[in-house]
Amino acid sequence: MNGDLDVVFRAARMVTPDGEVAGAAGVRDGRIVAVEAGASGLRADRVVELAEDEVLMPGVVDAHVHVNDPGRTEWEGFASATRAAAAGGVTTIVDMPLNSIPPTCDLPALDLKRKTATSQAFVDVGFWGGAIPGNVPELRTLHEAGVSGFKCFLLHSGVDEFPPLDAEELELAMREIASFDGLLIVHAEDAHAIEHAPAAVGGAYSSFLSSRPRDAENLAVAGVVDLARATGCRVHILHVSSADLLATVDAARRDGVRITAETCPHYLTFASEEIPDGATQYKCCPPIREAANRELLWQGLREGVIDMIVTDHSPSTPDLKALDTGDFGVAWGGISSLQLGLSAVWTEAQSRGLTLVDVARWMSEAPARHAGLARKGRIAVGQDADFCVLAPDDSFVVDAATLHHKNAVTPYHGRSLAGVVRSTWLRGEKIDIEAAPQGRLLTRGE
């Protein structure tokens, strides 16, 4: 076997599904064909020897990214998004069906999205479909075309071309998706609870926080669980910010409901008490909540109630963030963080006694499984040779102007983060973001 290897990666620290070991990974034709611990005998003409301060990790799989291309390419775009991903150790992204125009809610829109991404992707790209009023007949076709699943909103999405589902439409969609064992991923905030909350006005973050109460999440998730139980549909709760709902998710899972949940680096990093008034770069929906809530989210990860961490990278042009006025009532809600997710999570995880094995499980293995990408997310035989070379003890200060995101707006600006990505590898080849893109477009099951 050794003579047939294209490249061998050797590391004093390598993160595998079984833990962190010293060892080597052998690659042939872009796949991992051998993993050996200890003083490996793997040989190849090309050997990548990691430095003593570097760790070989599986490439991050970010299963919640808004690329906004086509239609709102000035917000991001496949070229800029995937450059940023590669710079941050991400080897696969899964693109959300909004805020592109048209949204990915039928086969022609998916075809256009794929055509747009072709020849622009520096990392591999998968796609979510959308579930909106009236498109139930499109769902099976999109599923057969290879989308990872279907996203829906239960309240206004922020863009008119992606309307929310009411209770009846949600049940129709879930029954159809259950019929082919698909997956529904839900922005779970209750529209009525939001309507009855005080409106966000002006620059006080406390005003914005009051406008998106925890009850909005809690009620929505309870309703989704009830319908999942009735229909048998697999469901996933997006960007959990309220720790209150974790008991509901845990109980539902114990009852046999097929439900998973994610949270995001910003909910695990920031706390509402620390957000300055007028700092609209922190606005996202659902919102960043209190420090005590943040610690309960970390507990949810430790206990396995929250399955994964994804960025929900949702950028916009600076004018839409209302940075000049600092008005949370009118600013676009979205955090720009695709390039920073791994370092942000590692910074917070290590301070709580957690390990890179934990981080890889939450940011690589679980999101890949969730999106139906069987060859992604692990350093194991048969997997794509997608790696992140991380220097976990090195650090840097975030300068938004130097990031590869199209627009230099992020709440991480000026923050010191641990974990420097030294290089990112896709199918055994080092990604060069100044060269021609080599990413592929993925379908569910790959």
Side-chain angles (χ1 to χ4, degrees):
M1 175 189 290
N2 290 352
D4 295 335
L5 296 178
D6 299 324
V7 58
V8 170
F9 290 78
R10 298 188 187 280
R13 299 176 64 186
M14 179 171 64
V15 175
T16 75
D18 298 322
E20 185 181 299
V21 298
V27 178
R28 185 193 309 123
D29 296 330
R31 298 276 190 91
I32 300 170
V33 296
V35 177
E36 294 186 0
S40 164
L42 296 178
R43 298 287 183 270
D45 290 338
R46 187 159 62 106
V47 177
V48 177
E49 295 270 5
L50 272 64
E52 286 299 313
D53 67 338
E54 295 175 340
V55 179
L56 188 68
M57 296 188 63
V60 172
V61 177
D62 194 337
H64 193 150
V65 177
H66 294 269
V67 179
N68 310 326
D69 193 7
R72 289 191 175 95
T73 313
E74 69 276 13
W75 293 17
E76 193 60 272
F78 281 104
S80 57
T82 56
R83 278 193 182 96
V90 179
T91 51
T92 301
I93 66 170
V94 189
D95 176 57
M96 284 291 162
L98 74 163
N99 301 300
S100 55
I101 303 174
T104 317
C105 296
D106 56 30
L107 190 57
L110 175 63
D111 289 342
L112 177 60
K113 181 72 72 81
R114 293 176 64 87
K115 181 179 179 180
T116 303
T118 299
S119 303
Q120 290 198 73
F122 287 87
V123 302
D124 286 357
V125 180
F127 301 93
W128 295 104
I132 61 173
N135 86 322
V136 166
E138 310 291 341
L139 299 179
R140 184 179 293 270
T141 301
L142 284 167
H143 179 78
E144 292 172 349
V147 299
S148 288
F150 305 92
K151 180 176 186 176
C152 73
F153 278 75
L154 306 183
L155 77 174
H156 194 277
S157 69
V159 293
D160 291 339
E161 67 274 3
F162 199 94
L165 300 178
D166 63 23
E168 182 179 349
E169 292 161 339
L170 179 63
E171 181 173 356
L172 287 172
M174 290 175 75
R175 290 195 181 282
E176 175 65 9
I177 292 167
S179 74
F180 49 77
D181 198 28
L183 172 66
L184 182 70
I185 63 176
V186 185
H187 182 123
E189 288 182 284
D190 183 80
H192 298 293
I194 299 292
E195 289 169 4
H196 288 89
V201 178
Y205 186 78
S206 58
S207 172
F208 170 60
L209 187 59
S210 296
S211 76
R212 313 292 289 216
R214 294 184 189 205
D215 276 353
E217 283 188 83
N218 305 338
L219 288 169
V221 170
V224 169
V225 165
D226 286 345
L227 280 175
R229 186 177 282 113
T231 63
C233 185
R234 290 192 295 133
V235 294
H236 175 78
I237 307 303
L238 297 163
H239 43 50
V240 171
S241 85
S242 169
D244 294 350
L245 61 83
L246 298 183
T248 302
V249 171
D250 188 41
R253 193 177 290 159
R254 292 175 187 274
D255 285 346
V257 176
R258 295 188 295 170
I259 184 170
T260 52
E262 68 184 36
T263 194
C264 305
H266 41 276
Y267 302 129
L268 299 169
T269 299
F270 304 116
S272 60
E273 299 95 324
E274 303 165 0
I275 298 175
D277 288 348
T280 54
Q281 62 270 32
Y282 290 86
K283 179 178 177 179
C284 58
C285 299
I288 295 163
R289 303 192 187 277
E290 302 82 2
N293 180 83
R294 176 187 63 197
E295 297 313 309
L296 291 172
L297 294 178
W298 278 108
Q299 183 178 330
L301 282 161
R302 286 189 185 94
E303 295 176 353
V305 181
I306 301 174
D307 302 88
M308 67 198 73
I309 306 171
V310 293
T311 64
D312 187 12
H313 177 70
S314 185
S316 71
T317 52
D319 59 301
L320 293 176
K321 292 299 283 185
L323 298 169
D324 54 342
T325 65
D327 189 338
F328 281 97
V330 299
W332 173 259
I335 299 287
S336 186
S337 59
L338 177 56
Q339 187 172 333
L340 302 170
L342 174 59
S343 298
V345 170
W346 172 236
T347 301
E348 299 299 318
Q350 68 169 345
S351 73
R352 292 166 173 82
L354 297 160
T355 70
L356 287 173
V357 175
D358 297 317
V359 171
R361 183 174 68 254
W362 294 326
M363 300 192 74
S364 300
E365 184 174 358
R369 183 171 59 248
H370 161 64
L373 303 176
R375 296 204 304 266
K376 302 295 187 182
R378 297 179 298 139
I379 298 179
V381 172
Q383 298 285 284
D384 285 350
D386 297 350
F387 304 121
C388 166
V389 175
L390 183 75
D393 299 325
D394 205 352
S395 63
F396 65 103
V397 176
V398 177
D399 179 354
T402 67
L403 300 176
H404 294 281
H405 307 152
K406 185 166 285 188
N407 295 288
V409 179
T410 180
Y412 292 95
H413 177 69
R415 194 175 186 91
S416 179
L417 297 180
V420 172
V421 175
R422 297 269 176 84
S423 60
T424 306
W425 300 73
L426 188 64
R427 287 182 294 278
E429 298 295 332
K430 186 176 180 180
I431 298 175
D432 181 352
I433 59 175
E434 302 302 325
Q438 298 298 315
R440 296 179 183 173
L441 307 186
L442 304 176
T443 57
R444 187 193 67 263
E446 289 191 84

